[in-house]
Amino acid sequence: MKRANFLSSLWKHAYAWVLILFSVFPIYVVIVSSFDPTGGLASSSLLPQRFSWENYEILFSSPTIPFMTWILNSSYIAVLNAILSIVIGAFSAFAFSRLRFKGRKAGLQALLLVQVFPAFLALAAIYVMMERVYTIFPGIGLGSHGGLLLIYLGGSMGVNAWLLKGFIDSIPMELDEAAKIDGATPFQIFWQIFVPLSAPVLAVTALLSFIGTFNEFVLASLFLQDVQLRTVAVGLQSFVGAQFGANWGPFAAGSILASVPLVALFLFAQRYIIGGLVSGSVKG
């Protein structure tokens, strides 16, 4: 009996270790490459052959590499997007969940339909549209942080509205009715009842939005061409974007440094993320 149990659990442990190694190996290669002064990927040997801080020094000493500016650009765009997308998403979710108005069902279905189409299909249209906007409002047009933020907000509005609406639907209607009897307005119901009850899921949605925006590359590389305006993902890509001049050492070192705040934030908020994700799973 013990032998059968041992054999039955052995393949599960082996499978788990294979998945762990598969996930950890790319991170290990990046860490080793960040200390390799030759600028190549350390894929020829599992053990590090050389050790140097040269790649990290390049990021902070070269006048042509504004690494800290890239980090600050990514940080404040991600923070603004997280805050604004949560505000817009919370108002939209409350309106779709609790208010009754003409076009409510059609609006919900339209939001879902827009999210179904791949975002890459709209890249050309968005580029042309923002190019036209730049001729009138340069601050929110092509090549500006304001324009990129508008694109991010438009892309996240539908997802956040549907995600938050599912949570608000689980809050009993009796709370609304009791507040209305006491004379509360819809805004007071939203601000004094739903926002405190939805705080965990709002925090989780904001955190995931921040991480997704900080790591986003495709849209940022399309809109931000100025070196000083680039985000960290676009800036680091310039190290490996050349056809015959890829320098993986600074790219790996920058990737490690850029991941530190995200990993620290994720570990700090891990308990809240799990609580927020499951808080809407039980109705009542």
Side-chain angles (χ1 to χ4, degrees):
M1 186 66 181
K2 291 183 178 179
R3 181 180 176 81
N5 292 335
F6 174 76
L7 292 176
S8 126
S9 62
L10 180 62
W11 73 269
K12 298 177 182 176
H13 285 83
Y15 181 67
W17 276 108
V18 169
L19 291 180
I20 292 173
L21 291 175
F22 186 77
S23 303
V24 170
F25 182 72
I27 301 174
Y28 172 77
V29 171
V30 172
I31 293 175
V32 173
S33 299
S34 70
F35 293 106
D36 189 346
T38 63
L41 274 181
S43 57
S44 59
S45 174
L46 290 178
L47 298 177
Q49 302 297 315
R50 305 175 186 83
F51 183 88
S52 171
W53 293 98
E54 181 180 339
N55 294 322
Y56 290 90
E57 292 174 358
I58 291 175
L59 295 176
F60 296 100
S61 60
S62 175
T64 60
I65 305 174
F67 180 70
M68 289 308 299
T69 301
W70 296 341
I71 292 284
L72 291 175
N73 291 341
S74 293
S75 299
Y76 94 80
I77 290 175
V79 169
L80 284 178
N81 184 55
I83 295 173
L84 294 176
S85 64
I86 284 302
V87 172
I88 296 172
F91 278 117
S92 304
F94 178 78
F96 284 123
S97 176
R98 285 301 198 262
L99 305 182
R100 297 293 179 264
F101 53 90
K102 189 176 182 180
R104 169 178 167 275
K105 186 176 179 180
L108 271 174
Q109 292 174 341
L111 280 178
L112 182 62
L113 186 63
V114 169
Q115 299 302 315
V116 171
F117 289 99
F120 295 112
L121 295 178
L123 282 180
I126 292 174
Y127 184 89
V128 173
M129 180 179 66
M130 298 308 292
E131 190 179 27
R132 301 289 177 84
V133 171
Y134 177 79
T135 60
I136 304 173
F137 304 105
I140 56 173
L142 187 66
S144 67
H145 288 165
L148 183 63
L149 184 60
L150 284 179
I151 300 300
Y152 286 154
L153 289 174
S156 61
M157 184 177 65
V159 177
N160 290 343
W162 269 98
L163 181 66
L164 296 174
K165 178 184 176 299
F167 179 81
I168 294 178
D169 286 343
S170 67
I171 298 176
M173 288 292 293
E174 287 78 6
L175 291 175
D176 299 44
E177 296 168 356
K180 289 177 182 176
I181 292 174
D182 291 338
T185 63
F187 182 77
Q188 288 175 321
I189 295 173
F190 168 79
W191 185 252
Q192 297 180 4
I193 296 178
F194 287 99
V195 170
L197 291 176
S198 306
V201 72
L202 290 176
V204 170
T205 307
L207 182 62
L208 296 179
S209 178
F210 175 85
I211 294 175
T213 306
F214 194 92
N215 293 325
E216 200 281 327
F217 169 74
V218 176
L219 284 171
S221 64
L222 182 67
F223 283 86
L224 302 177
Q225 300 298 324
D226 192 323
V227 174
Q228 294 293 332
L229 295 179
R230 290 175 180 174
T231 59
V232 67
V234 181
L236 292 179
Q237 192 273 341
S238 61
F239 289 110
V240 297
Q243 185 175 3
F244 302 107
N247 191 357
W248 291 98
F251 174 83
S255 300
I256 296 297
L257 293 177
S259 66
V260 169
L262 295 181
V263 173
L265 180 63
F266 187 83
L267 292 177
F268 171 75
Q270 186 178 20
R271 182 178 57 179
Y272 304 101
I273 292 175
I274 297 174
L277 290 176
V278 302
S279 60
S281 60
V282 180
K283 187 174 183 179

